[in-house]
Each structure stands twice: as structure tokens, then as C-alpha cells.
Amino acid sequence: MINWGIIGLGRMGNTFADAIKELKDCKLKAISSLNKSKLSTFSKKYNVDQNYIFSSYDQLINCKDIDAIYISTLNNTHKDLIIKSIENHKHVLCEKPITITEEEINDVYEKVKNSKVIFLEAIAYRFHPITKVIYDILSKENSGKIKKIITNYGFDTKKIKPNSRLYDKNLGGGAILDIGCYPLSILNLIKKIENIKSKVIFKNVNGNICETGVDDHAAAEIIFENGITLEIEVGIRKKLENFLLIKTDKGEIKIPDIWHPNKKTYIDIKFNDHYYKKTVACDYSLYSQQINFFNSLIKNTNKTIDFPYLSLEDSKEIAELSLEWRKKLY
């Protein structure tokens, strides 16, 4: 039995606690928050033993009965919590983005690389079978050569809340930093499918910096060395389609809701004037599948994270791309 602890009891903390119920080989054993009200409500809702309710993050990290930690605190706290967890030999599943600066991502990368812990960034769709299916489709000769990719992720918060995590620069706010990792993870995926080693070129970077000093909308065109173009867009005050479209010289594939695939989801495929829907099935819901994938790595310590699933190196590249995008916009 793998014993999990959650640090940070916001929306994603609740999502994790609901998701872990689907699995039989692990349990939510401990929780930690600096908010006493959240601790009380959360512990009652998920029946957490009083001995494993911690009012400081260090208490949970130091708890010998915990095997793995899910970090879902504010973006600016991730680096220190990851490193402390690793130093205490805890496996780590951390909400995206891993960190907010180049120095922090390098520190985390080196720490994880030189440890024996399992570490994953929680970009959930990359651990769903749909990622492998995308790879399999594009690897077949009849799919043709990739020419253009269009993808986006956006939602509308309606109001600007200066002290919220999305709009406070000190907390790691902004559309690119908070959700840019999703379209950038497609860039990372295609680079590997096409075996492209060189850097990509950001062009036509545009967006809007709102009154709190963070970007609430951003877009860019990215050029690969082999001529593939990628159009990406993110927004936290703009509802977008949240889709993935990949065009080749023989047709296209489209996934309507790429970031949140269900147990049964669909890919629209059209090659050589032949159109069909491909069903992709998963035994678990999205976030349960992510935990299940993580657990399989813990149980088989010699198992590596095979492409196209998200590795530490992939997360590092995505973080670096995010930083480059932000630098060109600000």
C-alpha cells in the first residue's frame, strides 16, 4: 500500500483526494495546510486520521509513514517543497508549473536527477493513453508529414483579482506561467516525434499585460527547424476552444478537449479524404490515471518513463520554453 500525503488543500487538492478513491493500491493518509479551516473541512470530508493532519508542511514531509507527496500549493512555493521532499526521500507529484524561474528549474532538475525518488509534473493528459495514441497515429506513414499545429488553453475568470494566485506576479501568476505548459507540452511532444534536437524559434509573440503586471492573454507562432509551424494561445480572461489540431500533407487529426480526456474520448481523423473517429479508452478517470501511472513507477523502481509520457527532461524543456515565451512578451 502506497501512502500519500497532500500539501495544499485547494481545488486541485480536493480533485486529487477524489481521484485516489478509484485506486486500490494506495490511500490518502495525510494532509497539510497553513489554513486551519481547510484542514478541518478537508479531514472530515475525506476521513483523515487526526494523527496525520498537519498544520505545517514540514511535519508532513518529515512523516515516516508517507511514501509520496502531492504538492498543490501556490506556484512560487513549489521549488522549496520539492527539494525538501526529495531530501526526505519522498516521491513527488507536483502541480504544474514546477517552478517560476530558470534558476529554480535548474535546482530542481539537479536535485531530482541525483536522487532515487520518483518525480512527475502533473500535466495529467500526458499520462493518459491518448498521448500514446497521438504518437502512434503520427508515426504511421499514411498520416503524412506534419505541416501545422494549432492548440490553445483558455478560460475566463471574468474579474481581475490582484491578490489571487492567477493575477499576483509574486505568486507565479499569469497565463503563460500557469497554463502555458499545456500547449508547450504539445511542442515538446512533436519535437520528440520528429526527432528535432535544435531550438525552436518564437515569432509573432503577442498578448496583454493586465493592471497587476501579469499576462492575462498570450499567443505565439513557433517555427521548427523542419518547417513545421505551431500556433499557440493561452488566456485566463478569454475562453478558448482548448483543442489540438495537427495538419499534415495528407490530412489532419483533431482532439476537441485535449487537456481533459475522459475514460472514453475521441480523436477526429481525416487522412486521404477518409474521415473517422477513433475511440481512446482508459480504465481510470484522468487524475486517477495520473496517480496510477505514478504508483506503477514507485512499485517498479527500475522502470523508466518511456516516451511519449512526461519525463523530468520534458518538464525541464517545457519550463525553459515557458520562460522564453514570457521574456519575449514582457
Side-chain angles (χ1 to χ4, degrees), residues 146-168:
I146 299 172
K147 294 296 183 181
K148 188 174 185 178
I149 304 154
I150 303 172
T151 188
N152 60 40
Y153 190 7
F155 51 86
D156 190 353
T157 57
K158 305 296 184 183
K159 297 180 180 179
I160 294 176
K161 298 179 180 179
N163 297 322
S164 72
R165 69 174 189 85
L166 287 174
Y167 290 101
D168 189 329

Side-chain angles (χ1 to χ4, degrees), residues 111-163:
K111 197 73 176 181
V112 175
K113 192 177 179 182
N114 293 318
S115 75
K116 294 183 179 181
V117 306
I118 305 300
F119 175 87
L120 292 179
E121 181 181 16
I123 302 178
Y125 88 97
R126 283 290 293 262
F127 306 106
H128 187 281
I130 199 165
T131 304
K132 179 66 163 57
V133 173
I134 293 170
Y135 169 74
D136 290 341
I137 292 171
L138 295 176
S139 297
K140 293 178 181 178
E141 287 187 11
N142 70 331
S143 67
K145 294 182 179 179
I146 299 172
K147 294 296 183 181
K148 188 174 185 178
I149 304 154
I150 303 172
T151 188
N152 60 40
Y153 190 7
F155 51 86
D156 190 353
T157 57
K158 305 296 184 183
K159 297 180 180 179
I160 294 176
K161 298 179 180 179
N163 297 322

Side-chain angles (χ1 to χ4, degrees), residues 188-203:
N188 164 264
L189 184 67
I190 299 302
K191 274 189 73 177
K192 287 202 164 184
I193 291 174
E194 294 288 303
N195 195 30
I196 296 172
K197 304 295 184 183
S198 63
K199 286 189 174 183
V200 296
I201 299 171
F202 279 80
K203 290 181 66 179

